[in-house]
Amino acid sequence: MTARLYVRSGLSPDAPDAAFAVLVVAPDGTPGERAMAGLGAHCYEGDGALYLVRTDGWAEHSFDAGSLVVRVAVPTVVLRQMDVDPEDFPERSAVDPDAVIVLTARTAADADLSTRPTEATAVFTAAPDVPLDDLLTSEDEWPVLLAPPPQT
C-alpha cells in the first residue's frame, strides 16, 4: 500500500478555484502512512478539520516532470513523542535538517498548477478501497490540514 495523492479544487468555499493537494493514507499502511495517521493526535480541531501546527510537521510541494510531489516532513522530536524511531526515515527535509520526510507521494499535475499559490495539504486516513469522493463528502471524516513549510 502507498499513499494516494490527488489535486482537487472546490474544497474551500472562500477560494473555490484554489487547488489543494489531497493525500489519503492507510492507518495500517507503510511506516510513513502510520506516522502520518498518528499526527492526528497532535492537531487541534476547527471548522470540520484537524490542523497540525508547523512546529509538528508540514508538507513540502515540488513539481517534477509533470508531477506534483508532496513530501510530509516531521521534526525528529515529534516522532520520538509518538514512539516512532526517526532512524526509520533516512530522507531529511530540505527546509529543516532536524525534520525527516515520513511520506512522499506524487501525481500528475497540470503545468499551470505550479503558478498557483501554495495551499494547505489535506490528509485523510482511510482504508485503500475508500474512494476520495466519499471522504470529501463525509461529515464524519475530517482531514488533517498541513501547512506549507515554515519560513527559514
Side-chain angles (χ1 to χ4, degrees), residues 34-102:
R34 292 191 308 269
M36 182 61 241
L39 284 173
H42 288 260
C43 295
Y44 64 92
E45 294 181 19
D47 299 328
L50 302 171
Y51 295 88
L52 186 68
V53 295
R54 285 186 185 160
T55 55
D56 289 350
W58 58 86
E60 300 175 5
H61 293 191
S62 62
F63 290 87
D64 179 38
S67 292
L68 169 65
V69 180
V70 174
R71 292 176 180 84
V72 177
V74 180
T76 56
V77 67
V78 174
L79 289 175
R80 286 188 185 101
Q81 290 171 351
M82 296 170 44
D83 291 326
V84 174
D85 187 354
E87 299 300 319
D88 291 343
F89 304 99
E91 186 180 357
R92 295 288 175 174
S93 166
V95 175
D96 181 351
D98 290 329
V100 296
I101 301 299
V102 297

Side-chain angles (χ1 to χ4, degrees), residues 44-50 123-125 135 138-144:
Y44 64 92
E45 294 181 19
D47 299 328
L50 302 171
V123 182
F124 288 93
T125 301
L135 295 170
S138 172
E139 292 182 15
D140 298 326
E141 299 296 331
W142 285 18
V144 170

Side-chain angles (χ1 to χ4, degrees), residues 19-34:
F20 286 83
V22 180
L23 274 169
V24 180
V25 299
D28 59 350
T30 66
E33 288 179 285
R34 292 191 308 269

